[in-house]
Amino acid sequence: MRDDPTTREEDWERRTELPLFYASLLFIAGYAVRVLASRSEHLWRDAAGIVVLLTWLCFIGDYAVRLVLSGDRPLRFVRRHWLDSLIVLLPTLRPLRMVKVHDAVQARRERPRRGLYQRVITYAGLSAVLLGFSGALGVYHHEHRDPRSSIRTFWDAVWWVCETLTTVGYGDVAPVTPAGRVIAIGLMVCGLALLGAVTGSFSSWLIQVFRREDEEEPPGNRGSPGAP
Amino acid sequence: MRDDPTTREEDWERRTELPLFYASLLFIAGYAVRVLASRSEHLWRDAAGIVVLLTWLCFIGDYAVRLVLSGDRPLRFVRRHWLDSLIVLLPTLRPLRMVKVHDAVQARRERPRRGLYQRVITYAGLSAVLLGFSGALGVYHHEHRDPRSSIRTFWDAVWWVCETLTTVGYGDVAPVTPAGRVIAIGLMVCGLALLGAVTGSFSSWLIQVFRREDEEEPPGNRGSPGAP
Amino acid sequence: MRDDPTTREEDWERRTELPLFYASLLFIAGYAVRVLASRSEHLWRDAAGIVVLLTWLCFIGDYAVRLVLSGDRPLRFVRRHWLDSLIVLLPTLRPLRMVKVHDAVQARRERPRRGLYQRVITYAGLSAVLLGFSGALGVYHHEHRDPRSSIRTFWDAVWWVCETLTTVGYGDVAPVTPAGRVIAIGLMVCGLALLGAVTGSFSSWLIQVFRREDEEEPPGNRGSPGAP
Amino acid sequence: MRDDPTTREEDWERRTELPLFYASLLFIAGYAVRVLASRSEHLWRDAAGIVVLLTWLCFIGDYAVRLVLSGDRPLRFVRRHWLDSLIVLLPTLRPLRMVKVHDAVQARRERPRRGLYQRVITYAGLSAVLLGFSGALGVYHHEHRDPRSSIRTFWDAVWWVCETLTTVGYGDVAPVTPAGRVIAIGLMVCGLALLGAVTGSFSSWLIQVFRREDEEEPPGNRGSPGAP
C-alpha cells in the first residue's frame, strides 16, 4: 500500500539532510566564535564570519534546488514548507528539523533501533540543547552591551537559558532589550514544546519500564506468581 | 444511530459561528485601537469605540436569539450555556469557543483535513494567542498609569503575557493593580489549560511521527528489515 | 467477581462523607473568619473559633468511629489510612478526599453522569481551589505581621496562591517566615499534582472532542465524505 | 521467549542493588553531616568524612567487579553503562537508579504489588526527594560563604530546591556561584523529568480511579443503572 515511489525531491532531501545538519552545527559554531571572540581577535572573527556566510549559502542553495525540484510555484512552495522557509532566514532554527535528520540517520544504519520513547527523548532533547545554545548566543549578542541588562557574560546567558527552558524563571537575569526579548519569546515557545515532549516521553518510558517488569516477572524467579 | 435531527438552535449556531468569530476579531481590534491610541487621536478612539459597541450588540443579539430558539427558561439557559453567558459579558473570551468555530470552518471546506493533533495544536494555540493579546490589552489598560507599575508600554504588557503564559514568570514586570491582577489570574488559568493542550498534543504528535516511521520503513529502502 | 459485600466501615464512610464535606467547608469558613476578622471584632472571632472547634471534633469523632468499625489495631489503621490521619490533624487538607466525596455524590443522584474528563477536571479543580484558599489563609495568618514579608493583605495572599499554583512565580510576593514557607511547600506539591490532573484531563478532553467530530461528520452534512 | 539465562553480571547486580542503595543513603547522610556540621565539630566532621570515603569505595568496587564480570572492554563498558559511570563519579546521583532498586525490592517480597501508577509515583517521587536533598546540600555547600549569595542557611537551600523543582522560581533565593549554578542546572533537568513523571502518573491514576467507578457502579447499589 505504502510504496509510493520516491520522488526526486525526497531523494535530494534524504541525501542532503545529514550534510546540512553538520553544516548547521558549523553555522552555530561559527556564529558562536563570531559573537564570543573579543573585539581584538580579528583573525578568528573574520574566519568565523566566512564560515557563517558559506554555510548560509549552502542552506539557500539547498532551498533553491528543492524549490526547482518540487515543480511548485514559489508562493505555494513557501506556504507548504513554511518551517523550511523560516529556517533559511534564521538558520539557528535548523535543529527543529530533527525528525528528518533522524530519518536520514536511521536509513544509513543497520543497527537495531533503540526504543520509541528513548529516540523521542534523544532527538527532542538534542534539539532543545542546540536551540538553547543558539538562543544563549543571540541573547548575549544583543544584551551584553546594554547598560540596563543583567546578562553580562556568556555564562549568564547560558544560566538564563536553563532557567527559562525549564520555566523556573527566577528573574535574577532577564533580557531587557527588544531584540533579546523577541529571541526569548521564540525560545520559550519552541523550547517548551520540545521539553514537554522530553518530559512526556520520559514519563511514558518510565511507566512502560514498570509495566514490563510486571509482565516479565511471573514466569521469573518467584515460586508463587501473583495475580496477573 | 447518531443522526439526531439538527434543531433550529444548532442550525442558527452553525450559520452564525463564523461571522461572529470575525466580529470578535473586530471587537479585539477595536478594543486595541481604543486602548493604544494616544489621548489626542479623538477620531480613531471614537471610531474604535463605535466598532466595539456594535460588535458587542451583535453578540448580545445572537445570545438573545439563541435564548428564544432554545425554548428554555432564561435561568436554565444561562446555567446550561454558562461559558456563552460569560462571553457575552466579556467578549474578549470569545476565542474560547474555538471548537465550535473549528466545526463551522470544517463544515464549509471540502479539503481533506489535517491530522488530529495538528488541529488541536492550531486551535488551542490560536485561542491562546488571541486570549494573550486581549489579556495584554486589558493589563496595559489598567496598569500603565499606575505609578507603582512596571508595565509602562504595550510592549511591556506583551512581554509580560509571554512570560506568564509559558509560566516562566521572571517577575521583572508584573501587575500591581487589583484589576490587572484579576485579568492576570484569568489569563493564567485559561492560558495554562490551552498551552497544556498544545504541549501535550505536540508531544503526542512527535511520538506518532517516530512510531509511523518504524512501521513504514521495513518494506522501504533497506535490504535487511529489522525486527518489527 | 467484584461484588464484595459492603462492610460496616464502608457503609459508615458512604453515609458520613457528604455531611463531613459540608463540615469541612464550614471549618474553612470558620478559619477564614477567625484569620480575617480584625482584632476588635470579638464576637465574630469567638463564634468562628467555636465553629472551628466543633467541626474539628466531628472529624475526630468520625476518625474514632472508623477506627473502631475497622477492627484494626490503631497503628495499622493509621498506616493504612495515612491520608485520613493527616487530615484529622490538618482538616484544611480535607478537599484531598475528593474522590470519595464524588463517589458519595454520585450514589445519591440518578441523573446521567457527565463525561470522565469533565468530572476529573471538576473535582481536581475544586480541590485545588479549596486547598488554595486554605493555603492563602494559612500563609496570610503567618506572614502579614512579619516586617520583612511582602504579603500584607489577604488579597496579596490570594494573588500569591494563584501565581504559585500556576507555577508562574513572579516573586513580587513570597513567604519569608518558616511557617509560611512550610505551608507554601505543601501547597506547591499538592497543588501541582492537582492542577497537572486538570491540565492533562483538559488536553485529553479537547483531543476527544476533535476526534469525535471526525467520526460524526462523514454521514453528516457533506456530500463527499473524505478518507476515514 | 523471554527466558534468557541470568548472567553472572545480572546476578551480581541483583544481589548488591539493595545494600548499595542503603550505602548511598549512608553516603548522603555522611555528606550532609560533613556539610552541615559547624567548623568546630571536628569529631563529627571526621567521622562523616570517613563514612563518605568508605561508601564511595564500595561504589567503585562494585563498578570494578561489574566491569570484570561483564567481560567488556573498559571503553565499551563505560559507554554502555554511562549512567552508572556518572554515578561512580557523583554518588549523589545514585537515586536515579531507582528502577533497579525497585526490581530488587520486588524480587524479595511476596506481598501483592500496589498499582502501576502508585509505584511510579512512589519511586519517581522518592528519587526526586533524594536528589533534591543532595542538591540542597551541594548548593548550600558552595553558596553559603559567598557574600553575594542569598542562600545563607540550609533551610534557605531547602526552600530554594522546593521552588526550583516545582518550577515556581520566585527568585527570592537563587544561586550565584558557578558551582552552585551548575548543580542547579543538573537539578532542574533531572528533577523536572522525575516530577513530570510523578504528575503524569498521578493524573493517569486519578482518571483510572474515576473510570473504575464508572465500571463498578452499574451492578452496584443503585436500582436503575444508567447508560454504560
Side-chain angles (χ1 to χ4, degrees):
Chain A
M1 307 297 177
R2 287 174 182 276
D3 50 5
D4 45 353
T6 313
T7 66
R8 286 176 64 197
E9 192 188 353
E10 281 169 7
D11 196 44
W12 168 269
E13 211 172 298
R14 192 156 298 188
R15 282 165 190 275
T16 56
E17 194 62 51
L18 215 49
L20 284 175
F21 176 68
Y22 292 128
S24 77
L25 292 185
L26 213 63
F27 178 90
I28 291 177
Y31 181 50
V33 170
R34 180 90 190 159
V35 168
L36 296 179
S38 69
R39 298 207 146 252
S40 58
E41 294 168 299
H42 291 296
L43 193 67
W44 278 104
R45 285 169 62 90
D46 293 352
I50 291 166
V51 165
V52 165
L53 274 180
L54 284 181
T55 46
W56 205 330
L57 282 177
C58 289
F59 300 145
I60 294 170
D62 164 66
Y63 189 76
V65 169
R66 284 168 57 202
L67 172 56
V68 171
L69 286 178
S70 73
D72 278 343
R73 274 162 304 168
L75 256 173
R76 186 154 178 259
F77 184 83
V78 168
R79 216 184 51 207
R80 270 185 57 207
H81 298 80
W82 61 269
L83 184 60
D84 295 341
S85 312
L86 193 69
I87 286 172
V88 164
L89 295 177
L90 217 63
T92 51
L93 290 180
R94 205 145 244 277
L96 290 180
R97 278 180 66 94
M98 61 178 163
V99 176
K100 303 270 174 138
V101 175
H102 165 255
D103 200 19
V105 171
Q106 288 298 336
R108 298 203 176 178
R109 290 197 186 172
E110 297 296 323
R111 283 203 249 166
R113 299 161 159 231
R114 277 169 305 154
L116 175 67
Y117 296 126
Q118 289 170 52
R119 275 182 291 144
V120 175
I121 292 173
T122 309
Y123 282 88
L126 209 74
S127 302
V129 168
L130 282 177
L131 266 186
F133 184 69
S134 308
L137 282 172
V139 164
Y140 170 73
H141 184 45
H142 289 101
E143 291 278 322
H144 79 290
R145 292 215 201 89
D146 193 286
R148 293 165 303 163
S149 176
S150 47
I151 297 175
R152 305 242 71 94
T153 66
F154 183 61
W155 169 235
D156 282 341
V158 168
W159 169 245
W160 168 78
V161 161
C162 290
E163 69 175 63
T164 297
L165 285 186
T166 55
T167 78
V168 172
Y170 297 119
D172 50 352
V173 285
V176 293
T177 61
R181 286 187 170 176
V182 166
I183 295 173
I185 291 172
L187 195 69
M188 285 176 197
V189 173
C190 297
L192 274 195
L194 287 172
L195 283 185
V198 171
T199 313
S201 299
F202 177 76
S203 184
S204 301
W205 172 79
L206 206 63
I207 289 172
Q208 196 190 48
V209 167
F210 274 74
R211 181 176 285 141
R212 196 170 290 160
E213 265 170 26
D214 284 2
E215 287 158 5
E216 273 179 13
E217 200 152 323
N221 57 345
R222 291 200 302 178
S224 58
Chain B
M1 306 297 177
R2 286 173 183 278
D3 51 4
D4 45 352
T6 312
T7 65
R8 286 177 64 197
E9 191 188 355
E10 281 168 9
D11 196 45
W12 168 269
E13 212 173 296
R14 191 155 298 187
R15 283 164 189 275
T16 56
E17 195 61 52
L18 216 49
L20 285 175
F21 176 68
Y22 292 128
S24 78
L25 292 185
L26 214 63
F27 178 90
I28 293 178
Y31 182 50
V33 170
R34 180 91 190 156
V35 168
L36 297 178
S38 69
R39 298 207 146 253
S40 58
E41 295 169 298
H42 291 296
L43 193 67
W44 277 104
R45 287 169 60 90
D46 292 352
I50 291 166
V51 166
V52 165
L53 273 181
L54 285 182
T55 46
W56 206 330
L57 282 177
C58 289
F59 300 145
I60 294 170
D62 164 66
Y63 189 76
V65 169
R66 284 168 58 203
L67 172 56
V68 171
L69 285 178
S70 72
D72 277 343
R73 274 163 305 168
L75 256 172
R76 187 153 177 260
F77 184 81
V78 169
R79 216 184 52 208
R80 270 184 59 207
H81 299 81
W82 61 270
L83 185 60
D84 295 341
S85 312
L86 194 68
I87 286 172
V88 164
L89 295 178
L90 218 64
T92 51
L93 290 180
R94 205 146 243 278
L96 291 180
R97 278 179 66 94
M98 60 179 164
V99 176
K100 302 270 176 139
V101 175
H102 165 255
D103 200 20
V105 171
Q106 288 299 335
R108 299 204 175 178
R109 290 196 186 173
E110 295 296 322
R111 281 203 250 166
R113 299 161 159 232
R114 277 171 304 155
L116 175 66
Y117 295 127
Q118 289 169 53
R119 273 183 291 144
V120 175
I121 292 173
T122 308
Y123 282 88
L126 209 76
S127 302
V129 167
L130 282 177
L131 266 186
F133 184 68
S134 308
L137 282 173
V139 163
Y140 171 73
H141 184 45
H142 289 101
E143 292 277 323
H144 78 290
R145 292 215 201 89
D146 194 286
R148 294 164 304 163
S149 177
S150 47
I151 297 175
R152 305 242 70 94
T153 65
F154 183 61
W155 169 237
D156 283 340
V158 168
W159 169 245
W160 168 78
V161 160
C162 289
E163 69 175 63
T164 297
L165 284 186
T166 56
T167 78
V168 173
Y170 298 118
D172 49 353
V173 284
V176 293
T177 61
R181 286 188 170 174
V182 166
I183 295 173
I185 291 171
L187 195 68
M188 285 176 197
V189 173
C190 297
L192 274 193
L194 287 172
L195 282 185
V198 171
T199 315
S201 299
F202 177 76
S203 184
S204 301
W205 172 78
L206 206 63
I207 290 172
Q208 196 190 48
V209 167
F210 275 75
R211 181 177 285 142
R212 197 171 290 162
E213 267 170 24
D214 284 2
E215 287 158 5
E216 273 178 14
E217 200 153 324
N221 58 344
R222 292 200 301 178
S224 58
Chain C
M1 304 298 178
R2 284 173 183 279
D3 50 4
D4 45 353
T6 312
T7 65
R8 285 178 63 197
E9 192 188 354
E10 282 168 7
D11 197 45
W12 168 268
E13 211 172 297
R14 192 155 299 188
R15 283 164 188 275
T16 57
E17 197 60 53
L18 215 50
L20 285 175
F21 176 68
Y22 292 128
S24 77
L25 292 185
L26 214 63
F27 178 90
I28 293 178
Y31 182 50
V33 171
R34 179 92 190 155
V35 168
L36 297 179
S38 69
R39 299 207 146 253
S40 57
E41 296 168 298
H42 290 295
L43 193 68
W44 278 104
R45 286 170 61 91
D46 292 353
I50 291 167
V51 165
V52 166
L53 273 181
L54 283 182
T55 46
W56 206 330
L57 281 177
C58 290
F59 300 144
I60 295 171
D62 164 65
Y63 189 76
V65 168
R66 284 167 58 202
L67 172 57
V68 171
L69 285 178
S70 73
D72 277 342
R73 274 163 304 169
L75 255 173
R76 187 154 177 260
F77 184 82
V78 169
R79 216 183 52 208
R80 271 184 58 206
H81 298 81
W82 61 270
L83 185 60
D84 295 342
S85 312
L86 194 69
I87 285 172
V88 163
L89 294 178
L90 217 64
T92 51
L93 291 180
R94 204 146 244 276
L96 290 180
R97 277 180 68 95
M98 58 177 166
V99 176
K100 303 269 175 139
V101 175
H102 165 254
D103 201 19
V105 171
Q106 288 299 337
R108 298 202 177 178
R109 292 196 185 174
E110 296 296 322
R111 281 204 251 166
R113 298 160 161 233
R114 276 170 305 155
L116 176 66
Y117 296 126
Q118 288 169 53
R119 274 182 291 143
V120 175
I121 292 173
T122 308
Y123 281 87
L126 208 76
S127 302
V129 167
L130 282 177
L131 266 185
F133 184 68
S134 307
L137 283 172
V139 163
Y140 171 73
H141 183 45
H142 289 101
E143 292 276 322
H144 79 289
R145 291 216 202 90
D146 193 285
R148 294 164 304 163
S149 177
S150 47
I151 298 174
R152 306 242 70 94
T153 65
F154 183 60
W155 169 236
D156 283 340
V158 169
W159 169 245
W160 168 79
V161 160
C162 290
E163 69 174 63
T164 298
L165 284 186
T166 56
T167 79
V168 172
Y170 298 117
D172 50 352
V173 284
V176 293
T177 61
R181 286 187 171 175
V182 166
I183 294 172
I185 292 172
L187 195 69
M188 286 175 196
V189 173
C190 297
L192 274 194
L194 287 172
L195 282 185
V198 171
T199 314
S201 299
F202 177 76
S203 184
S204 302
W205 172 79
L206 207 62
I207 289 172
Q208 197 190 48
V209 167
F210 275 75
R211 181 176 284 141
R212 197 171 290 162
E213 266 169 26
D214 283 4
E215 288 157 5
E216 273 179 13
E217 199 152 325
N221 58 343
R222 291 200 302 176
S224 59
Chain D
M1 304 298 177
R2 285 175 182 278
D3 51 4
D4 45 354
T6 312
T7 66
R8 285 177 64 198
E9 191 188 354
E10 281 168 8
D11 197 46
W12 168 268
E13 211 173 297
R14 190 155 300 188
R15 284 165 188 275
T16 56
E17 196 59 53
L18 215 50
L20 284 175
F21 176 69
Y22 293 128
S24 77
L25 292 185
L26 215 63
F27 178 90
I28 291 177
Y31 181 51
V33 171
R34 180 91 190 159
V35 167
L36 297 178
S38 70
R39 299 209 145 251
S40 58
E41 294 168 299
H42 291 294
L43 193 67
W44 277 104
R45 285 169 61 90
D46 292 353
I50 291 167
V51 165
V52 166
L53 273 180
L54 284 181
T55 46
W56 205 329
L57 282 177
C58 288
F59 299 146
I60 295 170
D62 164 65
Y63 189 77
V65 168
R66 284 168 55 201
L67 172 57
V68 170
L69 285 178
S70 73
D72 278 343
R73 273 162 305 167
L75 255 173
R76 184 150 180 263
F77 184 82
V78 169
R79 216 184 50 208
R80 271 184 57 208
H81 300 79
W82 61 270
L83 184 60
D84 295 341
S85 312
L86 193 70
I87 286 172
V88 164
L89 294 177
L90 218 64
T92 51
L93 291 180
R94 203 147 245 277
L96 290 179
R97 277 180 66 95
M98 60 177 164
V99 176
K100 303 270 175 139
V101 175
H102 165 254
D103 200 19
V105 170
Q106 288 298 336
R108 298 202 177 178
R109 291 196 185 173
E110 296 296 323
R111 281 204 251 165
R113 298 159 160 234
R114 277 170 306 154
L116 176 66
Y117 295 126
Q118 288 170 53
R119 275 181 291 143
V120 175
I121 292 173
T122 309
Y123 281 87
L126 208 76
S127 302
V129 167
L130 282 177
L131 267 185
F133 184 68
S134 308
L137 283 172
V139 163
Y140 170 73
H141 185 45
H142 289 101
E143 291 277 323
H144 78 289
R145 293 215 201 88
D146 193 287
R148 294 164 303 163
S149 176
S150 48
I151 298 175
R152 305 241 71 95
T153 66
F154 183 61
W155 168 236
D156 283 341
V158 169
W159 168 246
W160 168 79
V161 160
C162 290
E163 69 174 63
T164 298
L165 285 186
T166 55
T167 79
V168 172
Y170 298 117
D172 50 351
V173 285
V176 293
T177 62
R181 287 187 171 176
V182 167
I183 295 173
I185 292 172
L187 195 69
M188 286 175 196
V189 174
C190 297
L192 274 194
L194 288 172
L195 283 185
V198 171
T199 314
S201 300
F202 177 75
S203 183
S204 302
W205 172 79
L206 207 62
I207 289 172
Q208 197 189 47
V209 167
F210 275 75
R211 180 176 286 141
R212 197 170 290 160
E213 267 170 25
D214 284 2
E215 288 156 4
E216 273 178 15
E217 200 152 323
N221 57 346
R222 290 200 303 176
S224 59

